Amino acid sequence: MKSAKYGRFRELIGCVGLAGFGLTFSGLASAQAAATTTTTTTKTSVAAPAPANAPPAPAQGGMTLPGATPDPAVDATDHASVVGHFAVGYMGRRAIVTDIGMPEPVSVDAPVIGARYWLDPMIGIDAGLGMLLSAGSNKVGNASTDSQGYTVFILHGGVPLALAGSKHFSFQVVPEANIGFSSSQRAGGGDKLSGFHLDLGARAGGEVQFGFIGIPELSLQAGVGVALTYDRVKATPAAGDATVQSRTSFGTSLAGNPWDIFTGNIAALYYFD
């Protein structure tokens, strides 16, 4: 009987030992799993430094409000700074016939004062008016007679085209037209005179703006060109038939004296903001 109880006691002790060993083994396995960690390494790419000779990055521009005119860039041309602005000034000199002469009609010069407006960097508009009103008298003793006077008007129009340029210079071709009228009367109540002038042509030249001295609004223009010119003058006496003299020519705008480039083909303009 005692031996049987003793045998059961040994079996119970053995079962408890096996259970304790199992729990111990399970705890060791859990601790080993917890101790084992996975390490993940993330590599961050670092941009290589730019070479010394690399161009600078472009500047970030701000937003422009609708309808606002942005200021020109620092390196913009003088011509770009006057686009959308009016200019006024001297636009050259034109000759208008006033009397019959031999072998060619007599003419007087009328300076043209006008305005220029650039619609965009390439296309502009020129408009000008020239006029000359003259009168006088000659007095010998107590006798006075009227000298011959003139009334001259000329209308000028052109379409300047800016085809190339640099910082302070713009190369331009200007198709243009001039229409002139004159009236006069010879001294002493003589023949009445009327004249008509028309020329159609184009000039090629340049406009230099004085941005290099801080006044890009001021410019000088000079050029040469070709034109088809028609002049007609009529002398009507108090009695008898009228005399008409006309002339048609085609040639360069500097067909006269070499210094005409300074008097007849240089224009001076000033642009306003």
Side-chain angles (χ1 to χ4, degrees), residues 119-152:
L119 300 172
D120 58 40
M122 181 179 179
I123 301 176
I125 297 176
D126 285 349
L129 171 67
M131 64 180 182
L132 174 63
L133 307 175
S134 68
S137 63
N138 296 319
K139 185 176 182 180
V140 179
N142 293 326
S144 178
T145 58
D146 293 334
S147 60
Q148 184 173 356
Y150 308 97
T151 301
V152 172

Coordinates of all heavy atoms in Angstrom, one line a residue, residues 119-152:
L119 N 4.1 100.3 -80.6 CA 3.0 99.4 -80.2 C 3.6 98.1 -79.5 O 2.9 97.6 -78.6 CB 2.2 98.9 -81.4 CG 1.6 100.1 -82.2 CD1 1.0 99.6 -83.5 CD2 0.5 100.7 -81.4
D120 N 4.7 97.6 -79.9 CA 5.4 96.5 -79.3 C 6.9 96.7 -79.6 O 7.2 97.6 -80.3 CB 4.8 95.2 -79.8 CG 4.9 95.0 -81.3 OD1 5.9 95.4 -81.9 OD2 3.9 94.5 -81.9
P121 N 7.7 95.8 -79.2 CA 9.2 96.0 -79.4 C 9.6 96.0 -80.9 O 10.7 96.5 -81.2 CB 9.8 94.7 -78.8 CG 8.8 94.4 -77.7 CD 7.5 94.6 -78.3
M122 N 8.7 95.7 -81.8 CA 9.1 95.6 -83.2 C 8.4 96.7 -84.1 O 9.0 97.3 -85.0 CB 8.8 94.3 -83.9 CG 9.1 94.2 -85.3 SD 8.8 92.5 -86.0 CE 9.3 92.8 -87.7
I123 N 7.1 97.1 -83.8 CA 6.4 97.9 -84.7 C 6.0 99.2 -83.9 O 5.5 99.2 -82.8 CB 5.1 97.2 -85.2 CG1 5.4 96.0 -85.9 CG2 4.2 98.2 -86.0 CD1 4.2 95.1 -86.4
G124 N 6.2 100.3 -84.6 CA 5.8 101.6 -84.1 C 5.0 102.4 -85.1 O 4.8 102.0 -86.2
I125 N 4.6 103.6 -84.7 CA 3.8 104.6 -85.5 C 4.5 105.9 -85.4 O 4.7 106.4 -84.3 CB 2.3 104.6 -85.1 CG1 1.7 103.2 -85.3 CG2 1.6 105.7 -86.0 CD1 0.2 103.2 -84.9
D126 N 4.7 106.6 -86.6 CA 5.2 107.9 -86.6 C 4.1 108.8 -87.2 O 3.4 108.5 -88.2 CB 6.4 108.1 -87.5 CG 7.7 107.5 -86.8 OD1 7.6 107.2 -85.6 OD2 8.7 107.4 -87.5
A127 N 4.0 110.0 -86.7 CA 3.1 111.0 -87.3 C 3.6 112.4 -87.0 O 4.1 112.7 -85.9 CB 1.6 110.9 -86.7
G128 N 3.6 113.3 -88.0 CA 4.2 114.6 -87.8 C 3.6 115.6 -88.7 O 2.9 115.3 -89.7
L129 N 3.9 116.9 -88.3 CA 3.4 118.0 -89.1 C 4.5 119.0 -89.2 O 5.1 119.4 -88.2 CB 2.2 118.6 -88.4 CG 1.7 120.0 -88.9 CD1 1.1 119.8 -90.3 CD2 0.6 120.6 -88.0
G130 N 4.6 119.5 -90.4 CA 5.6 120.6 -90.7 C 4.9 121.8 -91.3 O 3.9 121.6 -92.1
M131 N 5.3 123.0 -91.0 CA 4.6 124.1 -91.6 C 5.6 125.3 -91.6 O 6.6 125.4 -90.8 CB 3.4 124.5 -90.8 CG 3.6 125.0 -89.4 SD 2.0 125.4 -88.6 CE 2.6 125.9 -87.0
L132 N 5.3 126.2 -92.5 CA 6.1 127.4 -92.7 C 5.2 128.5 -93.2 O 4.6 128.4 -94.2 CB 7.3 127.2 -93.7 CG 8.1 128.4 -94.0 CD1 8.8 129.0 -92.8 CD2 9.1 128.1 -95.1
L133 N 5.2 129.6 -92.4 CA 4.4 130.8 -92.8 C 5.3 132.0 -92.8 O 6.0 132.3 -91.8 CB 3.3 131.1 -91.7 CG 2.3 129.9 -91.4 CD1 1.3 130.3 -90.3 CD2 1.6 129.5 -92.7
S134 N 5.4 132.6 -93.9 CA 6.4 133.7 -94.0 C 5.7 134.9 -94.8 O 4.9 134.7 -95.7 CB 7.7 133.3 -94.8 OG 7.4 133.0 -96.1
A135 N 6.1 136.1 -94.5 CA 5.6 137.3 -95.1 C 6.7 138.4 -94.9 O 7.5 138.3 -93.9 CB 4.3 137.7 -94.6
G136 N 6.6 139.4 -95.7 CA 7.6 140.5 -95.6 C 7.2 141.6 -96.5 O 6.3 141.5 -97.3
S137 N 8.0 142.6 -96.5 CA 7.8 143.8 -97.3 C 9.2 144.4 -97.7 O 10.2 144.3 -96.9 CB 6.9 144.8 -96.7 OG 7.5 145.3 -95.5
N138 N 9.2 145.1 -98.8 CA 10.4 145.9 -99.2 C 10.0 147.4 -99.2 O 9.0 147.7 -99.8 CB 10.9 145.5 -100.5 CG 11.4 144.0 -100.5 OD1 12.0 143.6 -99.6 ND2 11.0 143.3 -101.6
K139 N 10.8 148.2 -98.6 CA 10.5 149.6 -98.6 C 11.7 150.4 -99.2 O 12.8 150.3 -98.7 CB 10.2 150.1 -97.2 CG 9.8 151.5 -97.0 CD 9.4 151.9 -95.6 CE 8.9 153.3 -95.5 NZ 8.5 153.7 -94.1
V140 N 11.4 151.2 -100.2 CA 12.4 152.1 -100.8 C 11.8 153.5 -100.7 O 10.8 153.9 -101.3 CB 12.7 151.7 -102.2 CG1 13.7 152.7 -102.8 CG2 13.1 150.3 -102.4
G141 N 12.5 154.3 -99.8 CA 11.9 155.7 -99.6 C 10.6 155.6 -98.9 O 10.5 154.9 -97.8
N142 N 9.6 156.2 -99.5 CA 8.3 156.1 -98.9 C 7.4 155.0 -99.6 O 6.3 154.9 -99.2 CB 7.6 157.5 -99.0 CG 8.2 158.5 -98.2 OD1 8.7 158.2 -97.1 ND2 8.3 159.8 -98.6
A143 N 8.0 154.3 -100.5 CA 7.3 153.3 -101.3 C 7.5 152.0 -100.7 O 8.7 151.6 -100.4 CB 7.7 153.3 -102.7
S144 N 6.5 151.2 -100.4 CA 6.6 149.9 -99.7 C 5.8 148.9 -100.6 O 4.7 149.2 -101.0 CB 6.1 149.9 -98.3 OG 6.1 148.7 -97.7
T145 N 6.5 147.8 -100.8 CA 5.8 146.7 -101.6 C 6.0 145.4 -100.8 O 7.0 145.2 -100.1 CB 6.5 146.5 -103.0 OG1 7.9 146.2 -102.8 CG2 6.2 147.8 -103.8
D146 N 5.0 144.5 -100.9 CA 5.0 143.2 -100.3 C 6.0 142.3 -101.0 O 6.1 142.3 -102.2 CB 3.7 142.6 -100.2 CG 2.7 143.3 -99.4 OD1 3.1 144.0 -98.4 OD2 1.5 143.2 -99.6
S147 N 6.8 141.6 -100.2 CA 7.7 140.6 -100.8 C 7.0 139.3 -100.8 O 5.9 139.1 -100.2 CB 9.0 140.5 -99.9 OG 8.7 140.1 -98.6
Q148 N 7.5 138.3 -101.6 CA 6.8 137.1 -101.7 C 6.9 136.3 -100.4 O 8.0 136.1 -99.8 CB 7.5 136.2 -102.8 CG 6.8 134.9 -103.1 CD 7.3 134.2 -104.4 OE1 8.2 134.8 -105.0 NE2 6.8 133.0 -104.6
G149 N 5.7 135.8 -100.0 CA 5.6 135.0 -98.8 C 5.2 133.6 -99.1 O 4.8 133.3 -100.3
Y150 N 5.2 132.7 -98.1 CA 4.8 131.3 -98.3 C 3.9 130.8 -97.2 O 4.0 131.3 -96.1 CB 6.1 130.4 -98.4 CG 7.2 130.9 -99.3 CD1 8.2 131.7 -98.8 CD2 7.1 130.6 -100.7 CE1 9.2 132.1 -99.7 CE2 8.1 131.0 -101.5 CZ 9.2 131.7 -101.0 OH 10.2 132.2 -101.9
T151 N 3.1 130.0 -97.6 CA 2.3 129.2 -96.6 C 2.5 127.7 -97.0 O 2.0 127.3 -98.1 CB 0.8 129.6 -96.6 OG1 0.7 131.0 -96.3 CG2 0.0 128.7 -95.6
V152 N 3.1 127.0 -96.1 CA 3.5 125.6 -96.4 C 3.0 124.7 -95.3 O 3.2 125.0 -94.1 CB 5.0 125.5 -96.6 CG1 5.5 124.0 -96.7 CG2 5.5 126.3 -97.8

